[in-house]
Amino acid sequence: MDSTPREQDRTPTSGSKPPGHDLFSGGLRFLTELIAWIAAPWALWPHSILLAIGVVLLLIVPPAIFSTPGDRPGGDTPIAVPGAVTILMLLSHLVAATAAAWALWPTWIAVAVTTLCVVVVITEQPRWRALTRRSRP
């Protein structure tokens, strides 16, 4: 009998997350972001240290400042933007991760990163639908 109330306590919190913020799709999204944060500056460093630093700032700062209202389970960022902007920020991470993987690593790793990025696009579809609905008047 004790397990029933605990299960009921868990149900509202797990159902209150916005789409795309479950452990699986959120984890995949974070993994691709992490790859982009590491690989993009690594690939650019030999060419230009300033460009490498700039790409890190470009990948990290905008998502920390801009978000679509209601998208983040932990709260919104200071500046609200339409859902399309949030989607474009994630796409920039996916492109950076893929391009840097092909520039830096052996083919099998680049293929794995590219496949991961494609899987993220697929798993993000419910979130992207919610983001585009949220940005309409």
Side-chain angles (χ1 to χ4, degrees):
M1 297 245 181
D2 288 335
S3 64
T4 305
R6 289 181 189 151
E7 288 174 5
Q8 290 172 348
D9 290 343
R10 283 187 221 138
T11 304
T13 57
S14 65
S16 64
K17 289 183 182 177
H21 290 281
D22 58 282
L23 188 59
F24 180 70
S25 61
L28 290 178
R29 182 175 59 249
F30 177 71
L31 182 58
T32 58
E33 291 172 346
L34 189 60
I35 292 169
W37 298 338
I38 294 167
W42 183 3
L44 292 172
W45 191 268
H47 306 288
S48 169
I49 294 171
L50 287 177
L51 191 56
I53 293 168
V55 79
V56 167
L57 293 175
L58 187 63
L59 290 171
I60 294 176
V61 173
I65 297 173
F66 305 101
S67 72
T68 304
D71 180 49
R72 293 190 179 202
D76 294 329
T77 55
I79 301 173
V81 294
V85 174
T86 300
I87 294 168
L88 287 173
M89 286 189 290
L90 176 59
L91 287 174
S92 71
H93 283 84
L94 299 176
V95 168
T98 302
W102 284 99
L104 288 173
W105 298 319
T107 302
W108 68 273
I109 297 175
V111 168
V113 171
T114 303
T115 303
L116 174 65
C117 290
V118 170
V119 169
V120 167
V121 169
I122 294 167
T123 60
E124 283 291 297
Q125 292 306 306
R127 179 175 177 238
W128 290 359
R129 280 191 293 275
L131 285 170
T132 55
R133 277 193 301 267
R134 210 173 281 131
S135 64
R136 293 183 188 151

